[in-house]
Protein backbone atom coordinates (compact mmCIF):
# COMPACT_ATOMS: atom_id res chain seq x y z
CA UNK A 1 0.00 0.00 0.00
CA UNK A 2 1.53 3.31 -1.12
CA UNK A 3 2.21 5.83 1.62
CA UNK A 4 1.73 9.50 0.86
CA UNK A 5 2.57 12.76 2.59
CA UNK A 6 0.98 16.12 1.74
CA UNK A 7 3.15 19.13 2.60
CA UNK A 8 1.33 22.42 3.04
CA UNK A 9 2.29 25.98 2.21
CA UNK A 10 2.87 28.75 4.70
CA UNK A 11 6.16 30.46 3.95
CA UNK A 12 8.70 30.16 6.76
CA UNK A 13 6.17 28.30 8.91
CA UNK A 14 6.48 25.34 6.56
CA UNK A 15 10.04 24.75 7.80
CA UNK A 16 8.44 22.76 10.63
CA UNK A 17 7.79 20.02 8.07
CA UNK A 18 11.53 19.38 7.86
CA UNK A 19 11.47 18.46 11.56
CA UNK A 20 8.57 16.07 10.96
CA UNK A 21 10.42 14.34 8.12
CA UNK A 22 13.53 14.01 10.28
CA UNK A 23 11.63 12.18 13.04
CA UNK A 24 9.69 9.93 10.67
CA UNK A 25 12.88 9.06 8.81
CA UNK A 26 14.55 8.03 12.09
CA UNK A 27 11.59 5.73 12.74
CA UNK A 28 12.02 4.12 9.33
CA UNK A 29 8.83 5.67 7.92
CA UNK A 30 9.22 6.58 4.24
CA UNK A 31 6.75 7.79 1.63
CA UNK A 32 6.06 6.71 -1.93
CA UNK A 33 4.08 9.80 -2.97
CA UNK A 34 4.96 13.36 -1.97
CA UNK A 35 2.75 16.32 -2.84
CA UNK A 36 3.58 19.89 -1.91
CA UNK A 37 2.11 23.36 -2.13
CA UNK A 38 4.19 26.57 -2.16
CA UNK A 39 6.98 26.19 0.44
CA UNK A 40 5.83 22.61 0.94
CA UNK A 41 6.54 22.06 -2.76
CA UNK A 42 10.12 23.23 -2.34
CA UNK A 43 10.63 21.01 0.71
CA UNK A 44 8.98 18.07 -1.06
CA UNK A 45 11.11 18.54 -4.18
CA UNK A 46 14.41 18.52 -2.33
CA UNK A 47 13.34 15.55 -0.21
CA UNK A 48 12.16 13.65 -3.29
CA UNK A 49 15.63 13.98 -4.79
CA UNK A 50 17.78 13.44 -1.72
CA UNK A 51 15.61 11.03 0.27
CA UNK A 52 17.51 12.36 3.26
CA UNK A 53 16.20 14.85 5.83
CA UNK A 54 19.68 16.03 6.85
CA UNK A 55 20.51 16.97 3.25
CA UNK A 56 17.08 18.62 3.01
CA UNK A 57 17.76 20.73 6.10
CA UNK A 58 21.22 21.74 4.87
CA UNK A 59 19.87 22.77 1.46
CA UNK A 60 17.04 24.84 2.94
CA UNK A 61 19.56 26.63 5.20
CA UNK A 62 21.71 27.50 2.20
CA UNK A 63 18.74 28.77 0.16
CA UNK A 64 17.31 30.99 2.90
CA UNK A 65 20.52 32.51 4.22
CA UNK A 66 20.14 34.99 1.34
CA UNK A 67 20.01 38.62 2.50
CA UNK A 68 16.82 39.29 0.51
CA UNK A 69 14.84 37.09 2.90
CA UNK A 70 16.21 39.08 5.84
CA UNK A 71 14.91 42.26 4.16
CA UNK A 72 11.47 40.72 3.85
CA UNK A 73 11.41 39.80 7.53
CA UNK A 74 12.53 43.28 8.55
CA UNK A 75 9.75 44.93 6.57
CA UNK A 76 6.88 42.81 7.81
CA UNK A 77 7.92 42.26 11.43
CA UNK A 78 5.83 44.36 13.79
CA UNK A 79 7.88 47.31 15.02
CA UNK A 80 7.67 48.96 18.44
CA UNK A 81 7.78 52.45 16.96
CA UNK A 82 4.73 54.68 16.95
CA UNK A 83 2.12 54.41 14.22
CA UNK A 84 3.44 57.13 11.90
CA UNK A 85 7.13 56.23 12.15
CA UNK A 86 6.21 52.65 11.34
CA UNK A 87 4.33 53.72 8.22
CA UNK A 88 7.10 55.98 6.92
CA UNK A 89 9.81 53.48 7.80
CA UNK A 90 7.87 50.72 6.05
CA UNK A 91 7.39 52.82 2.90
CA UNK A 92 11.08 53.70 2.82
CA UNK A 93 12.22 50.09 3.32
CA UNK A 94 9.73 48.75 0.81
CA UNK A 95 10.80 51.31 -1.82
CA UNK A 96 14.47 50.42 -1.34
CA UNK A 97 13.66 46.75 -1.55
CA UNK A 98 11.65 47.03 -4.74
CA UNK A 99 14.17 49.30 -6.45
CA UNK A 100 17.23 47.43 -5.24
CA UNK A 101 16.52 43.78 -5.74
CA UNK A 102 13.03 42.78 -6.84
CA UNK A 103 11.75 43.09 -10.37
CA UNK A 104 8.54 41.04 -10.54
CA UNK A 105 7.06 41.62 -7.11
CA UNK A 106 8.02 41.36 -3.47
CA UNK A 107 9.23 37.80 -4.05
CA UNK A 108 11.46 37.80 -7.13
CA UNK A 109 10.83 34.49 -8.89
CA UNK A 110 14.07 34.84 -10.86
CA UNK A 111 16.11 35.13 -7.67
CA UNK A 112 14.35 32.12 -6.18
CA UNK A 113 14.97 30.21 -9.39
CA UNK A 114 18.63 31.24 -9.33
CA UNK A 115 19.14 29.92 -5.80
CA UNK A 116 17.42 26.64 -6.64
CA UNK A 117 19.61 26.26 -9.72
CA UNK A 118 22.64 26.92 -7.50
CA UNK A 119 21.75 23.72 -5.66
CA UNK A 120 20.72 21.49 -8.56
CA UNK A 121 23.14 23.15 -11.05
CA UNK A 122 20.96 22.17 -14.02
CA UNK A 123 17.39 21.57 -15.10
CA UNK A 124 15.79 18.86 -13.03
CA UNK A 125 12.87 16.65 -14.05
CA UNK A 126 10.04 14.91 -12.21
CA UNK A 127 11.10 11.68 -13.87
CA UNK A 128 14.42 11.78 -11.96
CA UNK A 129 12.85 11.83 -8.49
CA UNK A 130 13.30 8.90 -6.15
CA UNK A 131 9.65 9.35 -5.12
CA UNK A 132 6.48 10.23 -6.99
CA UNK A 133 6.32 14.01 -6.74
CA UNK A 134 3.40 16.35 -7.35
CA UNK A 135 3.67 20.14 -7.21
CA UNK A 136 0.45 22.11 -6.81
CA UNK A 137 -0.33 25.41 -8.53
CA UNK A 138 -3.52 27.29 -9.43
CA UNK A 139 -4.31 28.12 -13.04
CA UNK A 140 -4.94 31.86 -13.11
CA UNK A 141 -7.73 32.14 -15.71
CA UNK A 142 -9.73 29.02 -14.82
CA UNK A 143 -9.05 28.58 -11.09
CA UNK A 144 -8.32 24.91 -11.72
CA UNK A 145 -6.04 23.03 -9.30
CA UNK A 146 -3.07 21.82 -11.32
CA UNK A 147 -0.78 18.97 -10.29
CA UNK A 148 2.55 19.21 -12.08
CA UNK A 149 4.15 15.77 -12.16
CA UNK A 150 6.05 15.55 -15.47
CA UNK A 151 8.77 17.57 -17.19
CA UNK A 152 10.89 20.34 -15.68
CA UNK A 153 10.42 20.87 -11.96
CA UNK A 154 11.75 24.38 -11.37
CA UNK A 155 9.14 26.33 -13.44
CA UNK A 156 6.29 24.51 -11.68
CA UNK A 157 7.97 25.10 -8.33
CA UNK A 158 8.11 28.85 -8.94
CA UNK A 159 4.44 28.77 -10.01
CA UNK A 160 3.46 26.96 -6.82
CA UNK A 161 5.16 29.70 -4.77
CA UNK A 162 3.76 32.67 -6.75
CA UNK A 163 1.91 34.40 -3.91
CA UNK A 164 -0.87 36.57 -5.40
CA UNK A 165 -0.06 40.25 -5.20
CA UNK A 166 3.54 39.58 -4.24
CA UNK A 167 4.74 37.58 -7.25
CA UNK A 168 3.46 37.99 -10.79
CA UNK A 169 1.71 34.94 -12.32
CA UNK A 170 4.15 32.44 -13.81
CA UNK A 171 3.82 31.50 -17.48
CA UNK A 172 4.19 27.82 -18.38
CA UNK A 173 3.31 26.65 -21.89
CA UNK A 174 1.01 29.62 -22.65
CA UNK A 175 -0.87 29.32 -19.36
CA UNK A 176 -0.47 31.41 -16.22
CA UNK A 177 -0.26 30.07 -12.68
CA UNK A 178 -0.28 31.39 -9.13
CA UNK A 179 0.29 29.93 -5.67
CA UNK A 180 -1.16 26.47 -5.13
CA UNK A 181 -2.25 27.58 -1.65
CA UNK A 182 -5.04 29.61 -3.23
CA UNK A 183 -6.95 26.39 -3.94
CA UNK A 184 -5.22 23.46 -2.22
CA UNK A 185 -2.98 24.32 0.71
CA UNK A 186 -2.85 20.76 2.10
CA UNK A 187 -2.60 18.70 -1.12
CA UNK A 188 -4.22 15.49 0.13
CA UNK A 189 -6.50 15.04 -2.89
CA UNK A 190 -3.59 15.53 -5.28
CA UNK A 191 -1.67 12.88 -3.35
CA UNK A 192 -4.52 10.42 -3.80
CA UNK A 193 -4.75 11.22 -7.53
CA UNK A 194 -1.03 10.39 -7.88
CA UNK A 195 -1.42 7.04 -6.13
CA UNK A 196 -1.24 7.71 -2.39
CA UNK A 197 -3.32 5.22 -0.39
CA UNK A 198 -2.35 6.03 3.20
CA UNK A 199 -1.99 9.80 3.34
CA UNK A 200 -0.59 11.93 6.14
CA UNK A 201 -1.14 15.68 5.79
CA UNK A 202 0.85 18.35 7.61
CA UNK A 203 -0.81 21.65 8.51
CA UNK A 204 0.84 24.72 9.98
CA UNK A 205 -1.73 26.19 12.32
CA UNK A 206 -2.32 29.85 11.40
CA UNK A 207 -3.46 32.01 14.28
CA UNK A 208 -5.67 34.95 13.40
CA UNK A 209 -4.44 38.39 14.39
CA UNK A 210 -6.45 39.80 17.32
CA UNK A 211 -5.24 43.37 16.81
CA UNK A 212 -6.71 46.00 14.52
CA UNK A 213 -4.77 46.14 11.21
CA UNK A 214 -2.41 49.05 10.63
CA UNK A 215 -2.18 48.70 6.87
CA UNK A 216 -3.67 47.02 3.81
CA UNK A 217 -1.17 44.18 3.84
CA UNK A 218 -2.16 43.10 7.36
CA UNK A 219 -5.78 42.92 6.19
CA UNK A 220 -4.68 40.85 3.18
CA UNK A 221 -2.76 38.39 5.39
CA UNK A 222 -5.71 37.99 7.78
CA UNK A 223 -8.11 37.31 4.90
CA UNK A 224 -5.70 34.75 3.43
CA UNK A 225 -5.57 32.91 6.77
CA UNK A 226 -9.37 32.78 6.96
CA UNK A 227 -9.76 31.67 3.34
CA UNK A 228 -7.08 29.00 3.64
CA UNK A 229 -8.66 27.58 6.79
CA UNK A 230 -12.03 27.09 5.09
CA UNK A 231 -10.64 25.89 1.77
CA UNK A 232 -8.70 23.17 3.63
CA UNK A 233 -11.78 21.55 5.22
CA UNK A 234 -12.27 18.89 2.52
CA UNK A 235 -8.56 18.08 2.33
CA UNK A 236 -8.46 17.54 6.11
CA UNK A 237 -11.44 15.20 5.99
CA UNK A 238 -9.92 13.11 3.19
CA UNK A 239 -6.55 12.56 4.88
CA UNK A 240 -5.93 9.46 6.97
CA UNK A 241 -4.32 11.76 9.52
CA UNK A 242 -3.59 15.49 9.70
CA UNK A 243 -0.65 16.54 11.83
CA UNK A 244 -1.46 20.06 13.03
CA UNK A 245 1.60 21.93 14.22
CA UNK A 246 1.06 24.90 16.51
CA UNK A 247 3.31 27.83 15.65
CA UNK A 248 1.92 30.63 17.85
CA UNK A 249 4.98 32.89 17.54
CA UNK A 250 5.65 32.30 13.83
CA UNK A 251 4.57 34.20 10.74
CA UNK A 252 5.21 33.39 7.09
CA UNK A 253 8.05 35.94 6.88
CA UNK A 254 10.08 34.71 9.92
CA UNK A 255 12.89 33.18 7.86
CA UNK A 256 15.41 33.77 10.68
CA UNK A 257 13.50 31.26 12.86
CA UNK A 258 14.30 28.29 10.64
CA UNK A 259 16.00 26.23 13.37
CA UNK A 260 13.29 27.02 15.91
CA UNK A 261 10.57 26.02 13.46
CA UNK A 262 12.26 22.71 12.62
CA UNK A 263 12.48 21.89 16.35
CA UNK A 264 8.75 22.54 16.77
CA UNK A 265 8.10 20.14 13.90
CA UNK A 266 10.27 17.49 15.57
CA UNK A 267 8.41 17.84 18.88
CA UNK A 268 5.02 17.60 17.19
CA UNK A 269 6.05 14.50 15.25
CA UNK A 270 7.42 12.82 18.38
CA UNK A 271 4.22 13.60 20.27
CA UNK A 272 2.06 12.07 17.52
CA UNK A 273 4.42 9.27 16.48
CA UNK A 274 2.28 6.41 17.80
CA UNK A 275 -0.84 7.46 15.92
CA UNK A 276 1.12 8.21 12.71
CA UNK A 277 2.73 4.75 12.85
CA UNK A 278 -0.65 3.13 13.49
CA UNK A 279 -2.28 4.95 10.57
CA UNK A 280 0.59 4.23 8.17
CA UNK A 281 0.69 0.53 9.04
CA UNK A 282 -3.09 0.02 8.82
CA UNK A 283 -3.80 -1.96 5.66
CA UNK A 284 -7.49 -1.04 5.52
CA UNK A 285 -8.38 1.31 2.67
CA UNK A 286 -10.30 4.56 3.14
CA UNK A 287 -13.13 3.71 0.73
CA UNK A 288 -15.22 6.89 0.98
CA UNK A 289 -12.32 9.02 -0.26
CA UNK A 290 -12.44 7.64 -3.80
CA UNK A 291 -16.15 8.39 -4.21
CA UNK A 292 -15.80 11.98 -3.02
CA UNK A 293 -12.73 12.72 -5.13
CA UNK A 294 -14.41 11.33 -8.24
CA UNK A 295 -17.20 13.89 -7.76
CA UNK A 296 -14.80 16.84 -7.60
CA UNK A 297 -12.13 15.56 -10.00
CA UNK A 298 -13.13 18.07 -12.70
CA UNK A 299 -11.51 20.79 -10.57
CA UNK A 300 -8.14 19.05 -10.82
CA UNK A 301 -5.78 18.32 -13.70
CA UNK A 302 -2.31 16.83 -14.03
CA UNK A 303 0.06 18.80 -16.24
CA UNK A 304 3.43 18.49 -17.94
CA UNK A 305 5.74 21.38 -17.10
CA UNK A 306 8.10 23.04 -19.62
Amino acid sequence: MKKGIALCGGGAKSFCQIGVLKILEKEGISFDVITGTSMGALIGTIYSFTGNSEKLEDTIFRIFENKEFKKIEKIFSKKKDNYFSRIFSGIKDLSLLLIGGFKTGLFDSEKIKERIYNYFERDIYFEECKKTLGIIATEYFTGKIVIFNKGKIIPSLIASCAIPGLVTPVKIKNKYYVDGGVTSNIPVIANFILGGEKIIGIENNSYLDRNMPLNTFEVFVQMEKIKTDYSSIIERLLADFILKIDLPEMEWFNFSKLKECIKLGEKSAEKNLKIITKVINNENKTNFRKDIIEKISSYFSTEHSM
Side-chain angles (χ1 to χ4, degrees):
M1 187 169 287
K2 289 187 176 182
K3 302 170 186 175
I5 188 163
L7 305 173
C8 73
K13 294 185 297 180
S14 296
F15 294 149
C16 66
Q17 297 175 125
I18 300 170
V20 175
L21 291 169
K22 287 176 69 175
I23 297 302
L24 298 185
E25 187 178 299
K26 286 179 182 178
E27 294 297 317
I29 298 174
S30 61
F31 297 93
D32 306 291
V33 182
I34 299 174
T35 47
T37 292
S38 201
M39 187 67 79
L42 176 60
I43 291 170
T45 295
I46 297 170
Y47 195 63
S48 294
F49 267 83
T50 64
N52 182 291
S53 59
E54 296 295 335
K55 290 182 179 178
L56 165 64
E57 183 176 14
D58 178 65
T59 304
I60 290 294
F61 270 116
R62 286 194 283 119
I63 290 173
F64 287 93
E65 68 182 3
N66 187 285
K67 63 182 180 180
E68 302 299 342
F69 293 103
K70 294 178 182 178
K71 288 183 181 179
I72 292 168
E73 183 163 13
K74 181 180 178 182
I75 287 171
F76 291 110
S77 294
K78 291 184 180 295
K79 300 179 181 179
K80 295 181 180 179
D81 305 334
N82 64 52
Y83 179 79
F84 291 105
S85 67
R86 182 182 172 192
I87 289 177
F88 289 118
S89 177
I91 291 172
K92 181 186 71 174
D93 289 346
L94 184 57
S95 298
L96 290 172
L97 184 63
L98 291 173
I99 294 170
F102 295 91
K103 307 302 181 185
T104 59
L106 188 54
F107 282 97
D108 186 340
S109 60
E110 291 303 313
K111 286 187 177 291
I112 296 172
K113 186 186 295 185
E114 179 183 321
R115 293 198 65 77
I116 295 173
Y117 270 118
N118 284 343
Y119 172 70
F120 290 103
E121 298 180 344
R122 61 179 178 83
D123 276 319
I124 55 174
Y125 297 82
F126 284 95
E127 291 79 5
E128 299 176 74
C129 292
K130 296 178 180 179
K131 314 282 185 180
T132 298
L133 173 67
I135 291 178
I136 315 307
T138 305
E139 191 176 338
Y140 182 79
F141 290 112
T142 66
K144 183 167 283 190
I145 304 165
V146 174
I147 310 164
F148 287 105
N149 68 329
K150 295 177 183 177
K152 293 182 181 180
I153 289 179
I154 293 177
S156 58
L157 190 54
I158 304 305
S160 184
C161 297
I163 303 170
L166 302 183
V167 179
T168 55
V170 176
K171 185 179 181 180
I172 299 177
K173 296 172 65 175
N174 295 319
K175 292 183 180 180
Y176 289 87
Y177 300 91
V178 295
D179 191 348
V182 171
T183 49
S184 180
N185 197 51
I186 316 172
V188 172
I189 297 173
N191 200 288
F192 178 82
I193 291 172
L194 294 183
E197 295 172 286
K198 284 293 172 181
I199 304 170
I200 303 296
I202 303 180
E203 181 176 12
N204 317 319
N205 253 356
S206 293
Y207 289 86
L208 297 178
D209 197 337
R210 301 298 181 184
N211 301 310
M212 285 300 294
L214 295 180
N215 54 54
T216 303
F217 187 78
E218 288 187 3
V219 175
F220 171 76
V221 171
Q222 184 85 334
M223 294 306 101
E224 281 298 301
K225 288 179 179 180
I226 294 171
K227 177 188 69 62
T228 299
D229 187 48
Y230 280 94
S231 65
S232 298
I233 290 174
I234 295 178
E235 306 265 12
R236 292 191 197 105
L237 292 173
L238 295 178
D240 291 284
F241 179 69
I242 291 287
L243 177 60
K244 284 192 173 184
I245 302 176
D246 289 325
L247 303 165
E249 304 300 323
M250 285 286 296
E251 289 291 349
W252 68 270
F253 49 78
N254 292 142
F255 297 106
S256 66
K257 295 184 178 181
L258 202 161
K259 290 183 179 179
E260 178 184 335
C261 200
I262 290 174
K263 287 294 182 184
L264 289 171
E266 289 178 357
K267 289 180 181 179
S268 185
E270 288 170 344
K271 183 179 179 181
N272 292 276
L273 192 54
K274 286 185 178 179
I275 187 169
I276 292 173
T277 302
K278 183 178 179 181
V279 168
I280 285 292
N281 293 330
N282 186 351
E283 292 295 323
N284 295 326
K285 289 190 175 183
T286 310
N287 294 321
F288 75 90
R289 182 162 52 202
K290 182 179 179 181
D291 296 333
I292 294 175
I293 292 176
E294 282 181 353
K295 292 178 181 178
I296 60 176
S297 61
S298 62
Y299 293 97
F300 291 78
S301 70
T302 54
E303 296 284 346
H304 193 293
S305 186
M306 298 171 70

